[in-house]
C-alpha cells in the first residue's frame, strides 16, 4: 500500500513538473488569451476608450495578484502535504522503535512494583 502511494506521488510530481515546464513556455498563448479576454470584457461591459484605458491596467493588476495568490496557496498546500507525510513517517519510526524495545525483565517487574 505504501509502495503504491510512493509510486503515485512520484508519478504526480513528474507529470506536474512536465506541465509546469510546458506552461512556462506558453507565454504567447497566454498573451493571446489575455487579448481575447480583454476584447470580450470591452464588448460585454460596453467600455468607452477612456474607460478601457482606466479599467484594463487595473484588471491586469488584479489578475496578476490573483495568479500570485494561487501560486502561494499551491505552495502552502504542497508544504502541508510534505509535512503531513514526514509526521506520519516519524510516527511510524517511533512505533517501530517502541515495538523493538525489549520487554521488562522479571527482575524489573519485581523491583519496581
Amino acid at each position: 500500500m505504501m509502495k503504491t502511494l510512493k509510486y503515485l506521488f512520484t508519478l504526480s510530481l513528474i507529470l506536474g513538473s512536465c506541465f509546469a515546464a510546458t506552461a512556462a513556455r506558453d507565454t504567447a498563448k497566454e498573451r493571446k488569451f489575455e487579448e481575447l479576454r480583454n476584447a470580450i470584457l470591452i464588448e460585454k461591459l460596453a467600455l468607452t476608450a477612456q474607460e478601457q484605458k482606466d479599467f484594463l491596467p487595473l484588471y491586469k493588476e488584479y489578475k496578476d495578484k490573483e495568479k500570485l495568490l494561487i501560486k502561494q496557496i499551491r505552495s502552502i498546500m504542497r508544504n502541508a502535504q510534505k509535512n503531513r507525510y514526514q509526521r506520519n513517517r516519524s510516527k511510524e519510526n517511533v512505533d517501530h522503535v517502541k515495538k523493538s524495545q525489549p520487554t521488562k525483565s522479571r527482575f524489573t517487574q519485581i523491583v519496581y512494583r
Side-chain angles (χ1 to χ4, degrees):
M1 176 70 177
M2 193 59 141
K3 220 175 201 181
T4 306
L5 289 174
K6 286 181 185 177
Y7 288 126
L8 288 174
F9 180 71
T10 305
L11 181 64
S12 66
L13 283 177
I14 291 169
L15 290 175
S17 63
C18 290
F19 287 121
T22 305
R25 287 184 241 133
D26 290 344
T27 55
K29 288 182 181 179
E30 287 178 7
R31 273 187 263 122
K32 177 128 176 109
F33 176 78
E34 189 175 316
E35 289 171 9
L36 290 172
R37 184 183 62 210
N38 288 346
I40 291 170
L41 282 170
I42 291 167
E43 181 184 333
K44 294 291 180 183
L45 297 174
L47 298 175
T48 65
Q50 182 60 38
E51 290 172 335
Q52 289 176 31
K53 224 162 79 173
D54 295 338
F55 174 75
L56 291 178
L58 290 175
Y59 187 73
K60 182 177 179 348
E61 181 183 345
Y62 163 76
K63 286 307 234 181
D64 291 343
K65 287 181 180 181
E66 184 182 48
K67 281 181 187 177
L68 180 64
L69 286 173
I70 289 170
K71 283 182 182 179
Q72 289 174 347
I73 289 169
R74 287 181 180 158
S75 174
I76 289 168
M77 294 299 289
R78 260 186 257 115
N79 289 337
Q81 287 174 345
K82 186 173 24 172
N83 290 340
R84 189 176 313 122
Y85 172 75
Q86 289 172 346
R87 274 197 313 267
N88 289 341
R89 192 76 176 135
S90 298
K91 185 178 178 188
E92 289 173 8
N93 289 338
V94 168
D95 291 343
H96 177 71
V97 169
K98 283 181 180 178
K99 288 178 184 175
S100 65
Q101 289 178 344
T103 58
K104 292 182 180 177
S105 68
R106 182 76 179 134
F107 173 76
T108 1
Q109 290 175 358
I110 294 170
V111 171
Y112 293 108
R113 273 191 188 179

